[in-house]
Amino acid sequence: MHTCNNMPLNAFQRHSKRLIGIMMGICLALSLVLQAVVHRYNLSTFTHYGIAVISVAPIIMTMILIARYLSGEKDEYLRNLVVQSILWGFGVALVADTFFGYIIELRSTLIPFGSISMDIFVVTAMITLEIKLWRNQ
Amino acid sequence: MKNRLRVLRAEREWSQADLAQKLEVSRQSVNAIETGKFDPSLPLAFRLARLFETTIESIFLEDEAPPGA
């Protein structure tokens, strides 16, 4: 049985967790592929905008999945923990984004951070949720 | 908010898992409510009251009496 910190998950929770994990993988894979394409080929401005739109598609899908999960979750305590974890995820992603944004700006260093902020968000939210569940065993 | 959930559960010899199953929530939810870490919504409080065949006020107690009481 799939568990979340020894907590048995129902079919809806397992399904949501799997879909969000898949979207996270797509985000990461897409960011690597798009970075490689952008740096290897001399693309037109129109293509750049197209790539930018493609890169945000899985992020929008993940947000829709999270919203769908929150509206369908019947366990209000777990819903509360997930919302808190999501806020932590957003917070850490914003902090990392601001920090690396300044590093890139001031040192003209190329860090492919913008494309992995979604993964930072999801990983932080998942770690926070695990910690919160562990604290309330 | 304080509550008598642990006492009521012990009277019926139910485990946290048993109560969680009857309420259709996770065992962690029951634990969080019992330890006062989480205050349930009104619908869940009514479900608890119905399950224990009592009133919400007899399960959940205010931490302090309201001013002027």
Side-chain angles (χ1 to χ4, degrees):
Chain A
M1 180 182 283
H2 292 267
T3 61
C4 188
N5 213 321
N6 295 328
M7 191 181 87
L9 302 178
N10 62 33
F12 174 70
Q13 290 165 339
R14 277 201 304 275
H15 182 65
S16 300
K17 192 178 173 184
R18 195 181 311 127
L19 284 180
I20 291 169
I22 289 169
M23 275 301 151
M24 205 179 97
I26 291 173
C27 275
L28 194 62
L30 204 59
S31 71
L32 293 172
V33 169
L34 292 179
Q35 288 282 331
V37 169
V38 166
H39 290 117
R40 186 169 294 181
Y41 303 104
N42 192 16
L43 303 168
S44 66
T45 309
F46 180 77
T47 315
H48 281 159
Y49 279 108
I51 286 172
V53 169
I54 291 168
S55 69
V56 297
I59 298 175
I60 293 167
M61 272 307 295
T62 308
M63 292 296 125
I64 292 169
L65 286 173
I66 291 172
R68 187 173 154 270
Y69 164 74
L70 287 174
S71 63
E73 177 58 70
K74 288 177 181 164
D75 190 331
E76 57 190 61
Y77 172 67
L78 193 58
R79 193 167 56 229
N80 185 44
L81 288 189
V82 170
V83 169
Q84 287 178 26
S85 304
I86 286 169
L87 289 175
W88 270 100
F90 276 128
V92 171
L94 278 174
V95 166
D97 191 33
T98 307
F99 178 79
F100 286 111
Y102 270 99
I103 295 291
I104 291 166
E105 186 82 24
L106 298 172
R107 295 185 59 85
S108 302
T109 315
L110 198 65
I111 304 170
F113 176 72
S115 50
I116 60 164
S117 54
M118 183 62 201
D119 295 281
I120 290 175
F121 158 68
V122 174
V123 169
T124 307
M126 282 182 167
I127 290 171
T128 310
L129 182 62
E130 291 291 330
I131 292 170
K132 284 177 179 293
L133 285 169
W134 172 74
R135 285 175 63 189
N136 187 43
Q137 282 289 334
Chain B
M1 190 181 285
K2 291 175 186 169
N3 65 74
R4 297 178 53 243
L5 210 57
R6 194 182 293 268
V7 177
L8 292 166
R9 184 170 61 75
E11 282 172 1
R12 285 155 182 81
E13 297 180 346
W14 291 345
S15 65
Q16 284 187 342
D18 293 334
L19 180 57
Q21 197 178 9
K22 289 175 199 297
L23 291 169
E24 295 178 337
V25 298
S26 62
R27 190 196 57 76
Q28 279 83 350
S29 300
V30 172
N31 187 52
I33 296 168
E34 276 190 5
T35 52
K37 287 180 188 169
F38 178 70
D39 292 330
S41 65
L42 265 179
L44 184 55
F46 273 114
R47 264 156 63 199
L48 278 164
R50 208 176 302 126
L51 190 66
F52 288 113
E53 295 173 327
T54 184
T55 57
I56 291 176
E57 309 90 277
S58 62
I59 302 176
F60 296 97
L61 317 160
E62 278 184 295
D63 286 333
E64 290 173 18

